[in-house]
Amino acid sequence: MKTIWNAKSWRFYRPNSHSLGHNPGEIHVEGLDNVPTRLNHIEQGLKAVQSEQKELKETLGSLVDEVLVHDSRIDSLDMSLREMEKAIAALRQKIDDLEGHSQCNCIWVVRNPEGAETGRPIESIADLIPKLLGGENYNLPLLVDRAQSDPS
């Protein structure tokens, strides 16, 4: 067997008795002068990989911290959103109630002096409202559908 191992310029071989005057069975290694240079090159490459790995670990650690901060912020925003949705629902209900009440054109006159009505409550109220709110605000006379006295 002439060549046992060959990687780039390194060659291990077992010369036979006919080769260059070497003794049979003796192992010769070519390229030993390049070993320190190659080991230095490998060592530098390994150091570069280790420093990259260290930087990646640091970056990963900071990313994990940022993810945790963002998760807590998202949870906080979710809670705020739920509270706002409840407030919006309550305000919508209030708006619906107010709209329902605004469509009712009922006016209650409280503490009208006794005897102020002249026997006809509809005409009394139709005269009283423009006096209270300013007659100049009404171009036409008020139309009163119903009026009733409450004894309380």
Side-chain angles (χ1 to χ4, degrees):
M1 176 188 308
K2 190 80 169 164
T3 301
I4 298 174
W5 180 73
N6 182 359
K8 294 188 180 179
S9 67
W10 296 10
R11 268 187 286 164
F12 294 97
Y13 64 94
R14 187 180 307 273
N16 56 23
S17 58
H18 303 290
S19 66
L20 303 173
H22 295 290
N23 294 331
E26 187 178 281
I27 296 178
H28 296 276
V29 178
E30 291 180 4
L32 268 179
D33 55 336
N34 291 334
V35 170
T37 306
R38 290 182 182 216
L39 286 177
N40 286 338
H41 181 66
I42 291 171
E43 187 176 334
Q44 289 173 356
L46 183 60
K47 285 180 182 178
V49 168
Q50 287 173 339
S51 68
E52 285 290 324
Q53 182 184 15
K54 183 179 178 182
E55 289 177 19
L56 288 174
K57 280 184 179 181
E58 291 170 359
T59 303
L60 180 64
S62 66
L63 289 175
V64 167
D65 292 342
E66 288 179 21
V67 166
L68 293 175
V69 168
H70 290 303
D71 279 346
S72 65
R73 180 74 176 139
I74 289 172
D75 291 342
S76 170
L77 290 173
D78 270 347
M79 289 175 34
S80 296
L81 178 64
R82 284 188 219 115
E83 291 172 5
M84 286 182 186
E85 287 173 343
K86 288 178 184 177
I88 288 171
L91 288 173
R92 282 189 177 150
Q93 180 65 36
K94 192 172 188 176
I95 287 172
D96 289 343
D97 290 345
L98 291 173
E99 283 178 350
H101 282 76
S102 69
Q103 293 174 359
C104 179
N105 294 325
C106 295
I107 297 175
W108 291 57
V109 178
V110 181
R111 298 185 191 231
N112 197 14
E114 188 88 25
E117 297 174 9
T118 57
R120 303 185 108 197
I122 291 177
E123 292 174 4
S124 305
I125 293 298
D127 291 336
L128 178 66
I129 291 174
K131 287 179 190 174
L132 292 174
L133 300 177
E136 66 276 357
N137 295 324
Y138 300 96
N139 297 335
L140 301 172
L142 292 178
L143 297 174
V144 179
D145 288 335
R146 286 183 269 160
Q148 72 183 49
S149 298
D150 188 15
S152 57

